């Protein structure tokens, strides 16, 4: 992959090519309630945006009219509320698109019978699909209170391989055909950091966890560029409708990276993307090749990704006490120190930051041990931990010393509370996903949804959950970890920009930054519950990219 110089950025052209100013046209956006997320000027009523899509000035209409002699265009927002574009700091964008294009979405099904019916209908509608893929099953909301097994899948589809991914993406279920194609049987060696679940008689259940998922997934035919293109752009359209102008896709293989780069070079990306190359794919000890760093207006590849444990809703996160109703089971630690450190060091030596999925106590401790040693090599790089289920006092010291980001998902509480209540003690429930602890200790918080792990990726429902800690059933998890709406909005804008190391270009409506903003249907600061807030319009580079139409 060719390295792309920073001079490709429009902002760099503006800074260094002073002749550009002679040809610059300016537009005035006025009569708005602008929430800037800039402490130097928290509220304004007007913005001036140049033809490069950069904010030239923010302030009162009168001041801006006096400062600039003329405008090529003026837009009256008639008192509507404007905020910076939202930045989901951890969302699997292409997987969102996959569920909206080629994959069966079974999030929300209530029984295995309903699941089987949907799977059969999907297979019948897609007779040419070589593999039947589905995602979103959650045993805690099923009548049977268990995961489907290969027998459940075989009863519906036996002539084609089927693979079903649990909602968390840390567990998968295969039918017999898929296992036969993958050459998996009772004698297959279990990869480190994974499980192949068996019945008491030693027969396979068809259920795979963590790194063992790769035993099946590595045999699914790779996607073509056109398929990736359709998935990514379909997801981008959806994100724009939610007011999301930037997003981090946190685990990319080589083909997906190449697709993102090609889409960027063709000018097709609609949302600014921060993409993390995955270093250690599931089901193999082979290390993914480290790419060249890449940076443009719409695409950044400067951080690598690791998984140090499993998921909390699937009870595979590596916690320090046993899960409820188990025989001492504490989850799955997916990495050992030596492999983690050596693979991460290679990336740091080439200037990459590191992001690591770490939820449970054991995983956070391991990750920070590696980060401390990486910090000795280069203390200018800002690393991050994804999810951060739990924090000790020692962990907090490490976060602060290394100027790290915690990328967290309050929406898990809203949608996955049933899972947490069934597997975690009351003591752990009180401190899980400690958003307030993070902020109280001066640690940068970036909010996100991790979609499609959850079905609800609406930023406003996510922010409301951060404020109330309420689940769908009204149950409150972690009362002591509530944060304010102002803090949640900051974490969805500026905090996420800091996580991207791009706070100088986005995250607030300030002079010199991208003119990425959304026009809201109501002022969230006047509401007790912000869940019903919507983006009427989404603008990127000062250009309208989405407008809510009647019937949407």
């Amino acid at each position: 992959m060719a390295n792309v110089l920073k001079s490709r950025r429009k902002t760099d052209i503006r800074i260094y090519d002073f002749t550009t100013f002679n040809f610059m046209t300016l537009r005035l956006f006025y009569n708005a309630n602008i929430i800037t997320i800039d402490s130097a000027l928290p509220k304004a009523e007007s913005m001036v945006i140049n033809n490069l899509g950069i904010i030239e000035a923010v302030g009162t209409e009168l001041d801006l009219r006096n400062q600039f002699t003329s405008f090529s265009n003026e837009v009256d927002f008639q008192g509507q509320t404007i905020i910076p574009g939202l930045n989901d700091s951890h969302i699997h964008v292409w997987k969102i698109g996959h569920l909206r294009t080629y994959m069966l979405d079974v999030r929300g099904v209530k029984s295995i019978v309903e699941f089987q019916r949907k799977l059969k209908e999907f297979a019948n509608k897609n007779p040419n699909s070589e593999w039947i893929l589905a995602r979103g099953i959650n045993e805690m909301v099923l009548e049977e209170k268990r995961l489907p097994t290969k027998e459940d899948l075989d009863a519906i589809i036996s002539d084609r391989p089927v693979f079903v991914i649990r909602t968390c993406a840390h567990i998968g279920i295969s039918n017999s055909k898929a296992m036969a194609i993958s050459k998996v049987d009772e004698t297959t060696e279990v990869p480190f950091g994974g499980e192949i679940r068996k019945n008491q008689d030693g027969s396979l259940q068809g259920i795979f966890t963590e790194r063992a998922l790769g035993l099946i997934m590595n045999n699914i035919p790779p996607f073509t560029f056109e398929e990736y293109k359709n998935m990514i752009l379909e997801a981008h359209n959806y994100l724009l409708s939610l007011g999301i102008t930037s997003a981090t896709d946190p685990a990319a293989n080589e083909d997906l990276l190449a697709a993102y780069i090609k889409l960027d070079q063709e000018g097709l990306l609609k949302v600014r993307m921060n993409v993390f190359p995955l270093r250690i794919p599931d089901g193999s000890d082979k290390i993914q090749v480290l790419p060249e760093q890449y940076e443009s207006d719409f695409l950044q590849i400067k951080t690598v990704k690791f998984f140090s444990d499993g998921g909390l809703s699937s009870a595979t996160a590596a916690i320090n006490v046993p899960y409820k109703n188990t025989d001492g089971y504490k989850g799955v630690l997916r990495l050992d120190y030596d492999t983690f450190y050596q693979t991460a060091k290679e990336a740091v030596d080439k200037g990459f930051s590191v992001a690591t999925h770490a939820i449970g106590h054991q995983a956070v401790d391991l990750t920070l041990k590696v980060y401390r040693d990486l910090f000795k090599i280069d203390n200018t790089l800002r690393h991050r931990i994804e999810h951060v289920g739990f924090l000790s006092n020692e962990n907090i010291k490490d976060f602060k010393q290394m100027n790290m980001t915690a990328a967290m998902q309050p929406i898990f509480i809203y949608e996955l509370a049933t899972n947490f209540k069934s597997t975690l003690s009351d003591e752990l429930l009180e401190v899980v996903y400690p958003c307030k602890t993070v902020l109280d200790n001066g640690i940068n918080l970036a909010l996100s949804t991790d979609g499609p792990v959850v079905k609800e990726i609406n930023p406003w429902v996510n922010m409301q959950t951060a404020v109330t800690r309420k689940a769908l059933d009204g149950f409150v998890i972690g009362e002591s970890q509530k944060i304010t709406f102002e803090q949640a909005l900051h974490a969805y804008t500026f905090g996420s920009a800091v996580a991207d190391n791009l706070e100088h270009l986005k995250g607030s409506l300030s002079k010199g930054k991208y003119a990425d903003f959304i026009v809201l249907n109501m002022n969230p600061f006047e509401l007790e519950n912000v869940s019903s807030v919507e983006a009427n319009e989404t603008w990127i580079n000062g250009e309208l990219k989405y407008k809510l139409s009647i019937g949407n």
Side-chain angles (χ1 to χ4, degrees), residues 122-184:
F122 182 79
N124 290 340
K125 290 178 181 177
N126 295 274
N128 297 322
S129 294
E130 186 176 346
W131 281 65
I132 301 299
L133 304 175
R135 176 170 180 160
I137 201 77
N138 182 355
E139 71 279 7
M140 294 310 301
V141 300
L142 298 180
E143 292 176 5
E144 297 84 355
K145 299 300 179 186
R146 66 171 177 86
L147 287 170
T149 63
K150 67 175 171 52
E151 286 79 13
D152 296 310
L153 302 185
D154 290 346
I156 301 302
I157 304 170
S158 59
D159 60 333
R160 282 186 283 175
V162 177
F163 194 62
V164 181
I165 301 172
R166 190 185 181 279
T167 190
C168 62
H170 291 269
I171 295 178
I173 308 110
S174 167
N175 72 345
S176 295
K177 185 73 171 180
M179 286 190 287
I181 289 173
S182 304
K183 296 181 172 57
V184 172

Side-chain angles (χ1 to χ4, degrees), residues 90-116:
H90 185 117
I91 180 171
H92 300 271
V93 173
W94 77 271
K95 294 180 181 179
I96 294 285
H98 193 188
L99 277 172
R100 296 172 68 86
T101 51
Y102 310 111
M103 191 180 207
L104 174 63
D105 187 350
V106 294
R107 293 173 297 178
V109 298
K110 302 299 184 185
S111 71
I112 290 177
V113 172
E114 180 189 359
F115 162 70
Q116 289 175 313

Side-chain angles (χ1 to χ4, degrees), residues 33-67:
N33 173 36
I34 303 174
I35 311 299
T36 65
I37 316 296
D38 184 343
S39 59
L41 182 67
K43 295 188 69 173
E45 61 185 43
S46 299
M47 292 186 293
V48 173
I49 298 172
N50 67 33
N51 58 306
L52 298 177
I54 305 300
I55 298 172
E56 282 289 331
V58 181
T60 67
E61 179 185 350
L62 179 60
D63 286 346
L64 297 188
R65 287 190 184 278
N66 288 336
Q67 181 179 351

